Amino acid sequence: MSQRSERRGIHVDQSELLCKKGCGYYGNAAWQGLCSKCWRDEYQKARQRQIQDDWALAEKLQREEEAAYVSSHSSSQTQPPQSHSQHSLATFSKFEEKKTNEKTRKVTTVKKFFSPSSRTAPKKVPPEKEREKEKEEKLPGRRESHGENLLRDLKGIFTQPWEMSSPTEALVSRLRESHEAKTPSPSITRQSSIETDRVSRDFVEFLKTLHKPGREIHKHSRAFIDSMGNKKQDLSAEELSECVQDFYQGMSDRLLNHFKGSSEKVDRVMDQVEKYIMTRLYKSVFCPETSDDEKKDLATQHRIRALHWVTIQMLCVPVEEEIPEVSDSVVKAITDIIEMDSKRVPRDKLACITSCSKHIFNAIRVTKNEPASADDFLPTLIYIVLKANPPRLQSNIQYITRFCNPSRLMTGEDGYYFTNLCCAVAFIEKLDAQSLNLSPEDFERYMSGQASPRRQDDPAGWPQSGSRVNPVLTQIQHNLSVLSSLEKRQQQVIEGAQSLEAELTEWQESVAREVQEILERYPLDIKPRASAIDAENVENDRLPPPLQPQVFAG
Amino acid sequence: MTAMRVDAKVVMLGKESVGKTSLVERYVHRRFLVGPYQNTIGAAFVAKALNVGEKVITLGIWDTAGSERYEAMSRIYYRGARAAIVCYDLTDSSSFGRARFWVKELQNCEEHCKIYLCGTKSDLIEADRSTRQVDYHDVQDFADEIGAQHFETSSKTGKNVDEVFQKVAEDFSSCALEFMQEEKGVDLGQKKDSYFDNCCHN
Ligand SMILES: Nc1nc2c(ncn2[C@@H]2O[C@H](COP(=O)(O)OP(=O)(O)O)[C@@H](O)[C@H]2O)c(=O)[nH]1
Ligand SMILES: [Mg+2]
């Protein structure tokens, strides 16, 4: 009975994994229980809203940036602190506004244009947008040419004069293009848009230090996001990657050639550009619908689950988890690799892998008392991946490959660890009996769950060698022993209760017996009394004799 | 991230226990004594700055796991490498057979990757000539044929170790110029057609 309930705790019911919309595909917690398709449908609605928010903010940032630029050049230093506080206030009120509007979503979009935070938007825009939307719905065939349009748009960005005639005009033209505006779902957007706002602010802050080139970088980046935002759903993952990589390449060439930046400085700028761009594009280009990333994620997840029986010894991992510092490093490595999925910027994901790797190196160094080589590192990384079963592993690897700045990925230290992770995944996919030095029969039996290598090896020893065994098994073992000791104690309690009961019965009888004896010894004889009146007077006889009547002659 | 900027990726290839890790360790360890104390936690990846003439070239040296288990994955490792140091054990003829295999792979998959053949453990041979299993001239002929450099090193004595990496850096430095010009030529052409350079009105 305990076995069964344990099992229920580990295995999730199949139906819980399916998409909440009931379309039959698997859902994902990261997509609020929906599958990628349904999520995208949901998200599509929210996306437009986000674009508008972003643009309102970007315009504001742009104004702020320009104001700061002007004030720093006109030597009047009174304005910046004030405008800064205003700015943060505006951001807060925007957040508040989002909160309160949650219940009246339908009007939110329209309202926004009249709200003080986006005063620049002319009032005639919303109806126009509605018309655009209707038009779009009547013209479903237009979608096919989006790929072409994107290329045209990209050309447009860079052939356009640098300076747009006015921010208002830019916004209007932007809004004309956002033809798909539908009811947004704030719960999806809020979290990410807070982060997006923060990243945008940081980006502008960073660019301020670069003065004029900074402004151009900002405009370029925004224009690029804009063009991507419009067309991305029709491009394959590879085309998306190409667009972004072309943009990186163009931007860094330009920084090198036109602004004569040193390569270190260009790298630094490019890191910020990547952060800004990818924070905004993340939702739409991570695990895109046009790729089979999601399918691969599931396959890998299943595969790793099926390999739960693989031990440290089979992989020749030079790590002894009995040492506290080592097991601590192992836990940290697992945490880092799992955390990768929560990052949006490719370089941040890469940093998680690097941090994971450093913990692995530490675990090996402490165990072996010497620096780790590649022969130690790769198997340990494989072991960590098997233990962690990181969420959406394939999607994350693909995303980094497609959208990370290639100079980071190919040569440097981060690239080395990333490559090792790719190897680890490839190894896990291809893993067979031979790669674990097992006989094919054993491998099959372990895979099918008919046998477990640990129990076969030393059936008596495994409860003690705690950390070597699968921790779940250890836990079960522990629970079982707790249960059996409970059972024993319960037995004792029952026995105690029974003997108490017997004692009580015995005591009751003995009391009864005693009473009986006493009763027998002192039988209760009721003797008839002479005087009725003084019957109750115990000391009757000590009383003086009653007065007798006497006759006096007289 | 504080990661060092790296100019070229150099990958160490070779059968298990031919001495790849020892070669990197030897090379880096010697610099330890004079240079700053860095990269102490692992020898799997090392970034090393060398002087080539006026310039400083930073090599990113990638150690690889030599076990046969991971052979299928080696292609993932050498992708994008600008140099491969293919090691074989001078006292083990089978290791040279494996070296030939990697050379073929590299020629097929990484045309920009220069190959350096490196016979290791030369101190063992010097101690006892009869232990040599790979003939110097056979390897030299092979190297000429494939356009590779050829070294015999000892990580124990340090013989020829610096020379290998110095040569790698020099070749990269002179080759990087050509390569970049070639790349730029192609890239600029593309950019003109597309979008980037049209917009510069200065
Ligand atoms: N005598 C001698 N032994 C060496 C030399 N290089 C490596 N070894 C030994 O060969 C063994 C394998 O070396 P290692 O660097 O781990 O090989 P890897 O598997 O290719 O990384 C170790 O026992 C080293 O001590 C060398 O130059 N001379
Ligand atoms: Mg090694």
Side-chain angles (χ1 to χ4, degrees):
Chain A
M1 144 242 155
S2 64
Q3 296 280 22
R4 186 171 295 167
S5 62
E6 284 294 342
R7 193 178 267 179
R8 277 234 309 274
I10 301 161
H11 293 276
V12 182
D13 195 330
Q14 189 78 348
S15 66
E16 285 169 42
L17 294 172
L18 293 176
C19 172
K20 290 226 176 78
K21 282 265 166 100
C23 64
Y25 280 89
Y26 282 108
N28 191 317
W31 294 322
Q32 302 184 349
L34 303 177
C35 72
S36 70
K37 181 108 174 46
C38 296
W39 162 256
R40 227 166 286 273
D41 290 347
E42 279 287 299
Y43 167 64
Q44 203 60 41
K45 296 173 196 161
R47 189 182 60 98
Q48 210 55 45
R49 161 89 186 280
Q50 194 190 343
I51 286 174
Q52 286 159 10
D53 287 356
D54 287 353
W55 270 88
L57 183 72
E59 286 304 326
K60 212 163 53 188
L61 290 171
Q62 179 69 17
R63 280 197 306 281
E64 194 204 31
E65 184 200 351
E66 274 158 14
Y69 184 73
V70 168
S71 71
S72 74
H73 281 252
S74 63
S75 76
S76 92
Q77 292 297 320
T78 44
Q79 266 183 345
Q82 190 200 350
S83 75
H84 193 267
S85 69
Q86 254 174 7
H87 161 73
S88 56
L89 240 164
T91 315
F92 180 71
S93 69
K94 193 176 144 202
F95 173 68
E96 281 298 299
E97 182 190 3
K98 261 183 204 158
K99 257 173 103 173
T100 50
N101 281 346
E102 202 158 340
K103 289 215 175 88
T104 51
R105 281 180 213 165
K106 295 219 164 159
V107 287
T108 312
T109 331
V110 180
K111 245 190 185 169
K112 266 212 78 65
F113 297 117
F114 303 101
S115 74
S117 67
S118 56
R119 221 177 288 132
T120 43
K123 300 191 177 189
K124 62 178 185 216
V125 169
E128 217 173 274
K129 201 179 73 236
E130 285 300 311
R131 240 176 288 139
E132 278 290 325
K133 186 178 131 197
E134 281 166 26
K135 230 191 319 185
E136 179 64 13
E137 276 163 5
K138 282 178 203 151
L139 289 171
R142 226 180 104 184
R143 292 186 118 219
E144 263 83 71
S145 58
H146 276 179
E148 271 174 44
N149 285 351
L150 175 60
L151 288 178
R152 202 195 54 219
D153 274 26
L154 284 173
K155 276 184 202 168
I157 296 165
F158 296 107
T159 47
Q160 255 169 28
W162 288 102
E163 318 286 334
M164 291 250 191
S165 35
S166 84
T168 318
E169 227 174 85
L171 184 62
V172 174
S173 71
R174 171 77 207 98
L175 287 172
R176 279 208 190 99
E177 279 170 41
S178 47
H179 40 63
E180 292 163 312
K182 284 177 193 163
T183 318
S185 155
S187 63
I188 300 173
T189 34
R190 189 190 305 153
Q191 189 55 44
S192 62
S193 75
I194 289 170
E195 196 192 327
T196 311
D197 290 356
R198 190 179 49 75
V199 170
S200 298
R201 271 197 304 282
D202 291 351
F203 187 54
V204 169
E205 281 301 315
F206 171 77
L207 291 178
K208 274 181 195 168
T209 64
L210 303 177
H211 301 289
K212 193 133 194 293
R215 293 168 68 184
E216 292 194 6
I217 293 165
H218 193 214
K219 283 196 173 117
H220 263 56
S221 306
R222 276 171 40 194
F224 176 70
I225 291 168
D226 178 25
S227 73
M228 289 292 280
N230 242 355
K231 318 291 188 197
K232 63 207 165 195
Q233 62 267 37
D234 300 301
L235 295 183
S236 74
E238 271 56 51
E239 284 168 314
L240 287 169
S241 164
E242 226 169 87
C243 290
V244 173
Q245 294 296 342
D246 277 355
F247 176 76
Y248 287 156
Q249 179 76 42
M251 181 70 94
S252 66
D253 279 357
R254 193 175 164 78
L255 289 169
L256 270 175
N257 299 329
H258 291 255
F259 300 114
K260 305 277 177 272
S262 68
S263 47
E264 279 77 21
K265 200 171 172 188
V266 170
D267 276 0
R268 226 160 5 99
V269 174
M270 288 311 293
D271 285 347
Q272 295 298 324
V273 170
E274 178 191 314
K275 186 173 172 190
Y276 177 69
I277 299 258
M278 293 319 297
T279 304
R280 279 154 183 260
L281 294 181
Y282 174 75
K283 287 257 166 100
S284 49
V285 302
F286 184 88
C287 186
E289 208 178 334
T290 47
S291 73
D292 59 353
D293 294 354
E294 189 182 5
K295 222 162 66 192
K296 285 193 198 150
D297 282 337
L298 285 172
T300 303
Q301 207 171 322
H302 287 315
R303 174 78 175 160
I304 292 176
R305 256 186 231 152
L307 289 169
H308 65 88
W309 48 268
V310 174
T311 63
I312 264 191
Q313 290 81 6
M314 292 175 188
L315 289 167
C316 307
V317 177
V319 154
E320 283 190 29
E321 288 183 284
E322 282 83 1
I323 306 167
E325 192 186 342
V326 173
S327 73
D328 191 44
S329 291
V330 165
V331 168
K332 281 179 181 156
I334 290 172
T335 313
D336 284 339
I337 196 79
I338 288 174
E339 202 179 321
M340 170 175 70
D341 188 55
S342 69
K343 305 287 181 199
R344 292 213 257 169
V345 183
R347 213 165 53 89
D348 292 347
K349 288 183 186 286
L350 217 46
C352 289
I353 302 172
T354 298
S355 169
C356 164
S357 304
K358 300 260 154 135
H359 289 305
I360 290 175
F361 275 112
N362 193 51
I364 298 169
R365 199 206 44 179
V366 172
T367 306
K368 290 185 67 176
N369 233 333
E370 64 180 38
S373 73
D375 299 277
D376 306 318
F377 175 65
L378 183 57
T380 315
L381 181 63
I382 291 168
Y383 174 67
I384 294 293
V385 171
L386 283 177
K387 269 194 119 173
N389 201 351
R392 301 194 287 177
L393 188 54
Q394 298 278 4
S395 287
N396 278 295
I397 288 178
Q398 289 301 330
Y399 177 76
I400 294 170
T401 312
R402 287 172 192 148
F403 302 112
C404 196
N405 206 339
S407 68
R408 293 270 171 204
L409 212 50
M410 294 313 289
T411 49
E413 188 169 7
D414 298 327
Y416 180 75
Y417 303 131
F418 177 68
T419 303
N420 272 282
L421 180 63
C422 295
C423 278
V425 174
F427 179 83
I428 289 168
E429 278 172 353
K430 290 183 189 139
L431 184 151
D432 57 14
Q434 202 190 346
S435 38
L436 295 175
N437 288 330
L438 293 171
S439 72
E441 294 77 33
D442 278 350
F443 184 81
E444 272 315 308
R445 278 191 303 136
Y446 299 155
M447 278 306 267
S448 63
Q450 284 173 338
S452 154
R454 175 60 50 189
R455 224 169 295 170
Q456 213 173 35
D457 288 348
D458 49 348
W462 66 288
Q464 285 99 310
S465 60
S467 58
R468 285 176 177 238
V469 189
N470 184 332
V472 177
L473 287 179
T474 320
Q475 187 64 46
I476 291 173
Q477 188 67 21
H478 176 72
N479 290 349
L480 281 176
S481 74
V482 169
L483 278 176
S484 72
S485 88
L486 268 181
E487 195 185 1
K488 218 175 287 164
R489 282 165 60 190
Q490 194 184 11
Q491 198 60 43
Q492 283 170 1
V493 170
I494 291 173
E495 279 166 16
Q498 278 167 352
S499 80
L500 184 66
E501 191 185 11
E503 242 171 74
L504 277 174
T505 323
E506 167 68 16
W507 181 72
Q508 199 178 8
E509 281 166 7
S510 80
V511 169
R513 255 195 326 268
E514 216 172 307
V515 170
Q516 196 56 41
E517 269 171 37
I518 292 169
L519 282 179
E520 276 164 20
R521 210 179 310 153
Y522 308 102
L524 189 65
D525 285 338
I526 299 165
K527 292 171 184 164
R529 290 283 166 116
S531 147
I533 297 164
D534 295 318
E536 271 148 34
N537 197 334
V538 196
E539 287 169 332
N540 223 1
D541 32 359
R542 277 206 255 157
L543 284 173
L547 294 174
Q548 297 296 321
Q550 289 180 11
V551 179
F552 291 95
Chain B
M1 249 177 291
T2 51
M4 221 168 157
R5 187 189 162 81
V6 171
D7 298 305
K9 168 175 170 180
V10 182
V11 58
M12 311 292 298
L13 294 173
K15 192 179 157 179
E16 194 168 12
S17 75
V18 291
K20 301 179 293 296
T21 307
S22 302
L23 191 65
V24 178
E25 281 275 87
R26 175 77 207 189
Y27 176 61
V28 176
H29 188 70
R30 280 173 116 215
R31 302 292 163 113
F32 263 0
L33 304 174
V34 274
Y37 205 72
Q38 46 167 261
N39 271 309
T40 48
I41 64 157
F45 174 89
V46 188
K48 197 77 204 147
L50 292 84
N51 290 315
V52 179
E54 302 273 270
K55 276 194 291 184
V56 177
I57 300 280
T58 306
L59 300 180
I61 304 169
W62 292 40
D63 192 11
T64 61
S67 163
E68 306 242 331
R69 290 178 172 194
Y70 311 118
E71 206 156 82
M73 269 78 71
S74 58
R75 198 167 294 186
I76 304 175
Y77 272 112
Y78 53 67
R79 190 183 298 149
R82 302 301 306 273
I85 299 177
V86 180
C87 301
Y88 59 94
D89 185 342
L90 289 168
T91 66
D92 173 8
S93 60
S94 73
S95 70
F96 187 65
R98 296 304 301 159
R100 283 176 181 274
F101 160 80
W102 267 295
V103 168
K104 209 182 288 161
E105 286 259 297
L106 287 166
Q107 285 178 320
N108 287 339
C109 309
E110 291 294 318
E111 54 169 333
H112 290 300
C113 182
K114 279 198 137 243
I115 298 170
Y116 300 79
L117 290 168
C118 188
T120 59
K121 312 186 187 178
S122 65
D123 57 292
L124 295 178
I125 305 233
E126 269 156 36
D128 178 2
R129 302 227 158 256
S130 67
T131 56
R132 182 186 273 276
Q133 289 196 7
V134 184
D135 184 66
Y136 180 86
H137 297 286
D138 288 354
V139 179
Q140 190 57 50
D141 289 347
F142 179 60
D144 290 343
E145 186 189 317
I146 61 169
Q149 297 285 328
H150 173 211
F151 295 86
E152 289 192 352
T153 63
S154 166
S155 305
K156 194 172 177 186
T157 66
K159 192 182 165 193
N160 252 351
V161 172
D162 284 1
E163 284 81 349
V164 178
F165 292 95
Q166 191 65 35
K167 183 72 185 152
V168 168
E170 281 166 14
D171 287 352
F172 171 75
S173 170
S174 59
C175 180
L177 272 176
E178 281 171 42
F179 184 73
M180 257 162 64
Q181 275 157 3
E182 189 187 309
E183 278 263 285
K184 274 277 145 60
V186 176
D187 270 3
L188 285 180
Q190 278 176 354
K191 293 286 124 64
K192 282 253 150 57
D193 281 342
S194 57
Y195 48 85
F196 221 93
D197 277 76
N198 284 352
C199 53
C200 51
H201 32 247
N202 24 331

